[in-house]
């Protein structure tokens, strides 16, 4: 049972990637529902649930809908992928822009995970070890959230205060959840999908959605106990916090 928030073309690279069996639930905003519906028509195991990630009421309703779908099976893998980039440098950043980016990129993954935790625990109770075969939470983050990498020449580009700090916060949320979910056998980690040619990544990005999702799914499929609480590149290599 896979469940993930969907917000861009990267998510639609799932087709033909081993998700033809079992449940595949996609939380999606109304802006992308038409594209995903076409995919669902070809794969009856895909279930679409509309979700506003900044609405607690919407999150709780979505969790109830997933519960009705999975029942006693529980939830094996949650991928928190929805994100936004509120572009603002030191001169243009405002408190409102910071909070907008934090709500979607940092707070929403935490609230969604909390709402789905009973389903993750239900799946985790049926297995041993750690990984998506049991229960896992994958937070799609960014190397732009790395504090260590934002120095020297690397700090001269992408001076996006709201986005960078929201991803740094997500990294801490991931580490905190990893501590709290470990006793239940639920793996939790952060994964950088690369700079991808999506609506947010733009046409200059070096990776196609297909290239990114192929690598991302390969990494996710190979996660074990050693990756719990980690921050990984889409190649599987560790990234500095």
């Amino acid at each position: 049972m896979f469940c993930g928030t969907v917000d861009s073309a990267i998510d639609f690279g799932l087709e033909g990637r081993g998700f033809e069996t079992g449940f595949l639930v996609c939380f999606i905003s109304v802006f992308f529902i038409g594209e995903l519906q076409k995919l669902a028509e070809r794969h009856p195991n895909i279930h679409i649930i509309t979700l506003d990630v900044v609405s607690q009421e919407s999150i709780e309703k979505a969790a109830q809908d997933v519960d009705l779908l999975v029942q006693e099976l529980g939830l094996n893998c949650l991928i928190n992928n929805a994100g936004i980039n509120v572009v603002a440098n030191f001169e243009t950043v405002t408190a409102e822009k910071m909070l907008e980016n934090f709500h979607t990129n940092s707070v929403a993954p935490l609230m969604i995970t909390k709402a789905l935790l009973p389903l993750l625990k239900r799946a985790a109770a049926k297995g041993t070890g750690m990984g998506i075969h049991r229960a896992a939470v994958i937070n799609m983050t960014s190397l732009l959230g790395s504090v260590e990498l934002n120095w020297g020449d690397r700090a001269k580009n992408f001076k996006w205060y709201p986005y960078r700090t929201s991803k740094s916060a997500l990294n801490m949320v991931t580490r905190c959840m990893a501590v709290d979910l470990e006793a239940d056998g639920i793996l939790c980690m952060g994964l950088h999908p690369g700079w991808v040619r999506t609506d947010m990544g733009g046409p200059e990005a070096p990776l196609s959605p297909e290239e990114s999702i192929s690598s991302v799914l390969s990494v996710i499929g190979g996660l074990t106990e050693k990756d719990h609480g980690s921050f990984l590149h889409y190649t599987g290599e560790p990234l500095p916090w």
Side-chain angles (χ1 to χ4, degrees):
M1 169 61 207
F2 163 93
C3 187
T5 51
V6 176
D7 73 335
S8 63
I10 188 172
D11 304 281
F12 301 108
L14 291 170
E15 187 172 25
R17 301 293 182 179
F19 291 96
E20 286 78 12
T21 59
F23 284 114
L24 173 59
V25 177
C26 293
F27 295 139
I28 190 165
S29 73
V30 294
F31 300 107
F32 293 95
I33 197 166
E35 189 174 353
L36 187 59
Q37 280 179 331
K38 295 177 183 177
L39 186 61
E41 289 172 1
R42 297 194 296 272
H43 300 282
N45 63 316
I46 294 178
H47 301 268
I48 303 171
I49 296 174
T50 304
L51 170 65
D52 178 359
V53 300
V54 298
S55 165
Q56 189 61 32
E57 181 180 0
S58 179
I59 290 172
E60 292 173 1
K61 175 62 168 58
Q64 293 171 1
D65 291 342
V66 175
D67 194 7
L68 291 174
L69 281 172
V70 302
Q71 299 183 22
E72 74 280 357
L73 295 175
L75 179 61
N76 297 109
C77 182
L78 168 63
I79 300 179
N80 288 309
N81 186 63
I84 60 172
N85 180 12
V86 179
V87 177
N89 59 21
F90 186 70
E91 287 74 27
T92 60
V93 69
T94 64
E96 291 75 19
K97 290 178 179 179
M98 293 289 290
L99 291 171
E100 180 184 359
N101 226 150
F102 266 71
H103 201 170
T104 297
N105 291 7
S106 314
V107 179
L110 174 60
M111 295 300 104
I112 291 169
T113 303
K114 284 188 63 177
L116 292 169
L117 183 58
L119 310 186
L120 290 161
K121 286 184 176 181
R122 195 180 302 165
K126 303 178 187 300
T128 58
M130 276 189 162
I132 61 171
H133 67 282
R134 190 177 182 189
V137 177
I138 314 298
N139 288 328
M140 302 305 289
T141 182
S142 172
L143 58 76
L144 293 179
S146 169
V147 175
E148 185 174 338
L149 292 179
N150 189 35
W151 200 247
D153 290 340
R154 288 178 176 268
K156 295 178 181 179
N157 298 315
F158 307 112
K159 296 183 178 182
W160 300 333
Y161 273 69
Y163 183 78
R164 279 187 176 273
T165 54
S166 72
K167 289 300 186 178
S168 295
L170 177 59
N171 288 347
M172 180 57 80
V173 166
T174 300
R175 257 300 171 91
C176 290
M177 289 200 302
V179 172
D180 288 330
L181 300 181
E182 185 171 13
D184 294 306
I186 301 171
L187 184 146
C188 185
M189 57 83 66
L191 183 58
H192 167 62
W195 184 11
V196 188
R197 291 191 296 274
T198 63
D199 291 337
M200 186 167 67
E204 303 300 319
L207 288 177
S208 69
E210 292 77 16
E211 290 169 327
S212 174
I213 200 65
S214 177
S215 297
V216 163
L217 293 178
S218 177
V219 171
I220 291 175
L223 294 173
T224 65
E225 291 91 336
K226 65 179 176 57
D227 304 302
H228 183 58
S230 64
F231 176 23
L232 300 182
H233 194 272
Y234 69 90
T235 60
E237 300 172 355
L239 285 170
W241 296 100

